[in-house]
Amino acid sequence: MNVPKSDLSRRSFLKATAALGVMAGVRPLEQALAQMVEPASAQDAGWMADGRLRYRRDGMAKVTGQKLFAVDLRAKDMPGWPAQQSYALLIMIPRADRIFAGLDLSVLGQEFAPDVLVDAQRVQADGVLMPEPVFYGNHFLPKGQVSPMLGQPVALGIWHDYERYREAVRRLRFNDSIFQYGAAATPPQRKPYVAARYVRMGAESHDEADLYAPLTHGIVRPALTGPEVQWPGVDDPKHGKAMQYAGEIQQLMQQPPEGLKVFSRDYQSQSTEPAALEPENGLAWYDGAKGVMHMVGATQAPHATAAHVVSMVKASRFALHEMDYLSAYTVGYGQKEHHSFPYYVALAALYAQGRPVRLALDRWQQFQFALKRHPFDLKTSIAVDDQGQFQAFTVDMRGDGGGTMNFSPSVGTLGVASSQSVYYFPKSDLSVAVYPSAEVTAGSVRGYGTLQSMAPTEMLVDEIAEQLQMDAIALRQKNMMRTGLRNTQGSVPAGHLRIGEILELAAKDRVWTQRAKRKAEYEAANPGMLYGVGFAAVQKSFGTAGEAALALIELSPDGKLKMKHITAEIGTGTTTAQMLAAQPFLGRPIDEVEFAAQKWPQMPVHTEDKPNSTPQADEDRQSQDPYWVPSFTSPQSASNSAYYFTHTTRQAAKLLLAHGLWPAALSIWGNPFGGPLQAMPVTLDQAEWVDGKLVAGAMPPLSFERLAERAHALGLVTGVCVHTFNRRSWASAEFELDGKRFAAEIDALSVRWGEGADAAKKAAMDSGGYAFQPRVKVSYPPVHRLAAGAVYYAPCATLVELAVSSGTGKVSLLGHKTWLDCGAQIVPELVSGQLQGGVAMGIGHALYEELPLGPTGPGNGQWSFNRYHLPRGSEVAVWKAEGHVLPPISRTDPPKGMAEVVMIPVVAACANAVAHATGKRFYQLPLTAQRIKKAL
């Protein structure tokens, strides 16, 4: 079949193969586009069968090529957009050691020169500002300055036809002669992005208050004035007590008393590429006549991105009256959360002379400019007594944040605060500093600093066990964090900690118990190969310190459920999970959905979106306004969808049951034929769903359709929209609805009454068809809860067996097993997929993936997958992989975010297995064949 050259996209290719009989059931583009922009229903009637999920909501679209990512779209695909599209290219400087004197684009000639060239001088003259420049940097490097980073954009070119654009890209790629330089120079020195110290001095008894802890006494945050961190002294009025205890702990580590041994090692964790297979991209059209910006973007934070675009244009010569942002499916791993790239897409649209414009990075540009995982140098120390009991713990982390600040402050602080892994330490002194450099910016990448901090802890614990001649899992069991103990911030983690169950299972596994025998047998049968077994266990927090979300669930008269949700799909399957999350309260999955919704007239709240920086007194005052909330919504990140977004969905479903379906059921049960009331009263806590029908006590089962019809006829609540907020615990509020007062773990509520509602109620539904219900009372978690660090944990452990070639140093994985507690699984198949993918990512970090720093690194524009080693299927023991998930504690055990934690223990397990195989310890990742060969 002849496919037009100009449209050889993934979508067209799959359609062509379908016509050849390779695939069937490919739907028209218009339907696929509708699913991307405003998905109206489950893909087809077959996704659920007999109450069980057959495949994920977007599964059929994925395998038939109809699932659309932003990178798949062009202007001609967008209804109402002009069909003629322009093409934009970011021009990024590959050096940061000379003054930038300008661009020489003569290599393009007049024929292929850009129709529009935008640079620092032009955006400054037009008043277009990068939002939050301290966070994102500036749009472009001005002439006469040295670049703050390798890969900093200096200009953006726009071409109005594709063939000229394509030839221009060919001439410019790898052509460093287009950059004109002045004298040699270095970027100006800048102060660290963050410096923080968490000091905890526990009391003699666990049930006594800590002598000092970050939660109760504060985190040490020194004034950052120069290029290096100056920690306060013991005489500092604010942090003196913390520094006094820190000094005592450091003294103990340097001069341990008799009966105490101190193990201290220096570790290095490398810079890596998140390798999201969809590069940064976007499509935008600025309709200057109407002042409307239309954007299709690949981002994990659509709400924040849209708001930032508005702020970017606010003071400029461009009129912007409306922001129409369409959030597409994307895959990010954190790389597409709060990156500056979407603002270049919007910028291109402003200057595209009224035409839609596409800006998409190729793979070399993706390596050069997109966010990276932070490299860290760590000094990790543990003091242990003769019985193997941990007594003190210190960590000093020094990170490289790259050219702009981005999320370096929170990545660094979360990383060091999480370094305790699964252990309890009575004393701890944890410090971190992340510095600016000329490297590509590092940001929010899967693991968020905890992979870099916890892997060394697990490697050190394994080495301590070896030195003490103790079983490594037994040492972990002796020192594990138990329920009720405080973490290194002085906070008690939420819920029951189940790492003990995982360690018990791993300790009995035959790969572990027979490791000496298996090593001898394998090496005898495979001359030249060294066999090793390694184990590691961690627990990772999920979510952030200020999670907010919105969800709406509505019931139609014929018994259909419609959902509107803030969540966006980034590959985790959250859209599938949220459709099922309401099922425990409503007895069935959602029928129709709108995800990544940006407009919420049903929830007319306002916010300054400063949940982490508003003083307590100000928040107390603002919370008296029932329309005020600390934050509107959260980005799709930090494994937050399973717990936080599901909580929001279930709160909406719970209220719809309590104020709509349940009173409808009572009206039917109480007087089914117009006779006297039945004398067998039932209560809401007796309600349950059996075979899709509502039952309670001895009452007759009621179908969903009958309940919906009655709820509408009586004018009961048939739609609920909620807003939730969590700052290490849930906000809660009291409301009065239909004369009844109740409390819920939400902070804002709107409702819709059924068709039989009276005139007053119908008149009150003036907020997008809903009636906002001002809260009577609200309780927000106090601001100081931010100092608690993580309190929601998911534990995970991995056991690895591998072989090392004594001649080449190459590592071959023979098998691995992972144990996980993620609470109640919403969709077990999605948990399995996240587990498998996370373990593969961890193996890559442990053994293969590395980006060099400096001018030979990715910032020079010459890196792609031809130089960067992602692990292949043959390198991750794909057919010898096992995953085991602990059953939930109870039927109300909430789900836990787990997509990040499964990546972490396999890193240290691989390092510990290599040590077991070779007899040598390694302190720098990745454990490449070259490094192992050199050590051997």
Side-chain angles (χ1 to χ4, degrees), residues 386-559:
D386 292 336
Q387 287 73 45
Q389 195 73 51
F390 296 163
Q391 298 298 326
F393 180 53
T394 63
V395 175
D396 182 30
M397 290 180 68
R398 185 184 180 98
D400 185 332
T404 59
M405 184 177 74
N406 205 269
F407 275 126
S408 283
S410 53
V411 169
T413 53
L414 178 66
V416 78
S418 302
S419 58
Q420 72 180 78
S421 189
V422 297
Y423 307 108
Y424 175 74
F425 296 98
K427 304 178 181 70
S428 52
D429 178 21
L430 315 175
S431 61
V432 65
V434 183
Y435 295 86
S437 75
E439 304 301 331
V440 178
T441 298
S444 168
V445 174
R446 197 173 193 180
Y448 214 84
T450 62
L451 179 148
Q452 298 96 309
S453 68
M454 287 195 282
T457 302
E458 281 301 286
M459 293 157 69
L460 182 57
V461 167
D462 207 73
E463 187 171 355
I464 291 172
E466 181 182 59
Q467 294 291 321
L468 297 180
Q469 298 183 340
M470 288 184 65
D471 179 273
I473 294 181
L475 179 63
R476 290 174 168 89
Q477 290 173 311
K478 187 176 184 69
N479 290 283
M480 67 183 181
M481 173 78 77
R482 291 175 168 82
T483 302
L485 295 181
R486 297 183 179 95
N487 62 18
T488 50
Q489 291 79 61
S491 178
V492 177
H496 178 49
L497 301 182
R498 305 184 69 186
I499 186 61
E501 297 174 52
I502 290 176
L503 293 176
E504 185 177 359
L505 290 171
K508 297 175 181 177
D509 191 274
R510 62 184 181 86
V511 173
W512 183 254
T513 59
Q514 299 177 13
R515 59 191 183 281
K517 177 175 177 289
R518 294 166 73 91
K519 179 176 177 66
E521 292 176 349
Y522 183 90
E523 293 179 355
N526 298 273
M529 300 297 290
L530 306 173
Y531 175 94
V533 172
F535 178 79
V538 304
Q539 57 187 11
K540 167 74 174 66
S541 62
F542 48 91
T544 67
E547 292 286 351
L550 299 96
L552 177 153
I553 301 178
E554 189 171 293
L555 176 66
S556 70
D558 61 349

Side-chain angles (χ1 to χ4, degrees), residues 148-152 271 273 335 339 365-375 400-404 437-443 851-854 857-861:
M149 59 183 279
L150 296 157
Q152 165 70 37
S271 170
E273 163 65 31
Q335 192 176 64
H339 188 219
Q365 294 169 320
Q366 179 80 1
F367 269 84
Q368 186 177 21
F369 186 57
L371 296 174
K372 303 293 178 276
R373 175 175 283 142
H374 288 75
D400 185 332
T404 59
S437 75
E439 304 301 331
V440 178
T441 298
L851 289 170
L853 303 179
N860 66 14

